[in-house]
Amino acid sequence: MNRNRISPLLCTLLLSISALGWQGCSDKSAETGDLPILGERQLVQREVDGQQVTDTVYHRIPDFAFINQDSQVVTSLTVQDKVYVTDFFFTTCPTICPKMKSQMLRVYEEFKDEPRLMLLSHTIDPKHDTVAVLRDYADRLQVSSDKWHFVTGEKDSIYSIAMQYMVTALEDEEEPGGFVHSGAFVLVDQNRHVRGIYDGTDPAQVDRLIRDIPALLPKKKKKKDADKN
């Protein structure tokens, strides 16, 4: 095995192991209605009324800008104040992508009438997956672009943001289709904190994702309380 091939495959393995470990925490936390915040964190000190206070700064998905299947710009403002599920794929993928999309369709159908949730799928093959190709792909799935964005952009930007989501997206000419990527679905909250990583090819893991999503959605006010306001 040559050295160039070891790196992406090792990276995929390590991320998969990490995701399983994080998901174990998520399972336990979901029972109490509280999902963990995943990723690196920093302790930052500040002074309040003459006293030193330590704050925890959690990993946060940085600002981004991509183009969706309707040629519309999708940015971090698009998902502002929303929970979203994201993944990485390519339309000519001969391996796990069809399984992933059938499972993401389950999430779409479950929450298609929930305006506080969005889906965001990034192509890792922007050379082939043009806006027109993504439009055709979305049409064949019969999904609404208001709910589910299929996005493209600069390759480096896509691969860079995949790392922020703690998943793999790499070119590898020796892999089927020419790419190696994670099959993960990543659950992100309204503050762009990663709250769960799930195997998007495993129906049981997607079941867990569907159960976890409501924990991040604000509780709707009861009608009596809404009338008082």
Side-chain angles (χ1 to χ4, degrees):
M1 183 178 291
N2 66 51
R3 185 173 298 176
N4 290 334
R5 186 167 170 74
I6 292 175
S7 178
L9 294 180
L10 180 59
C11 183
T12 302
L13 177 61
L14 291 175
L15 284 169
S16 298
I17 293 172
S18 298
L20 290 173
W22 288 329
Q23 190 56 51
C25 295
S26 178
D27 293 347
K28 184 176 181 180
S29 299
E31 294 175 1
T32 62
D34 184 21
L35 299 176
I37 297 176
L38 306 183
E40 295 182 358
R41 60 196 68 188
Q42 294 181 329
L43 298 179
V44 178
Q45 288 193 332
R46 60 190 178 94
E47 187 173 311
V48 178
D49 297 330
Q51 300 293 322
Q52 288 294 318
V53 176
T54 301
D55 293 331
T56 302
V57 178
Y58 294 95
H59 173 72
R60 188 170 187 263
I61 302 302
D63 292 345
F64 57 82
F66 298 108
I67 303 294
N68 75 358
Q69 67 266 38
D70 291 336
S71 298
Q72 301 297 314
V73 178
V74 174
T75 73
S76 42
L77 292 177
T78 306
V79 296
Q80 185 173 8
D81 299 325
K82 295 182 184 295
V83 174
Y84 69 99
V85 180
T86 192
D87 71 340
F88 292 80
F89 81 111
F90 58 110
T91 63
T92 58
C93 174
T95 54
I96 62 174
C97 294
K99 292 180 181 179
M100 292 171 63
K101 287 300 166 275
S102 67
Q103 291 301 316
M104 191 69 90
L105 268 172
R106 293 180 55 214
V107 182
Y108 174 88
E109 291 296 335
E110 183 73 23
F111 295 96
K112 64 182 179 181
D113 296 323
E114 174 52 76
R116 298 170 296 175
L117 179 84
M118 298 184 72
L119 307 179
L120 183 60
S121 292
H122 308 73
T123 177
I124 60 172
D125 184 10
K127 183 176 181 180
H128 176 271
D129 292 344
T130 62
V131 168
V133 170
L134 293 178
R135 174 74 266 172
D136 178 68
Y137 192 83
D139 286 345
R140 283 187 279 118
L141 289 174
Q142 298 182 329
V143 298
S144 167
S145 56
D146 292 336
K147 169 66 69 174
W148 191 348
H149 296 281
F150 293 86
V151 298
T152 185
E154 294 294 330
K155 180 176 65 176
D156 289 347
S157 297
I158 295 168
Y159 292 2
S160 176
I161 199 135
M163 294 177 63
Q164 296 294 325
Y165 287 112
M166 295 175 276
V167 301
T168 303
L170 296 168
E171 286 185 285
D172 186 342
E173 61 184 17
E174 297 187 42
E175 285 293 310
F179 299 88
V180 57
H181 68 102
S182 168
F185 292 169
V186 183
L187 178 61
V188 185
D189 69 16
Q190 296 91 335
N191 297 311
R192 283 189 267 156
H193 294 146
V194 175
R195 305 299 294 272
I197 299 177
Y198 310 78
D199 183 349
T201 67
D202 182 351
Q205 291 263 320
V206 178
D207 287 344
R208 189 173 296 116
L209 167 62
I210 289 171
R211 292 196 301 269
D212 283 351
I213 287 172
L216 299 181
L217 299 174
K219 301 298 182 184
K220 292 183 178 179
K221 291 183 178 181
K222 294 181 180 181
K223 189 176 187 305
K224 289 183 179 180
D225 293 335
D227 291 341
K228 290 180 181 179
N229 296 332

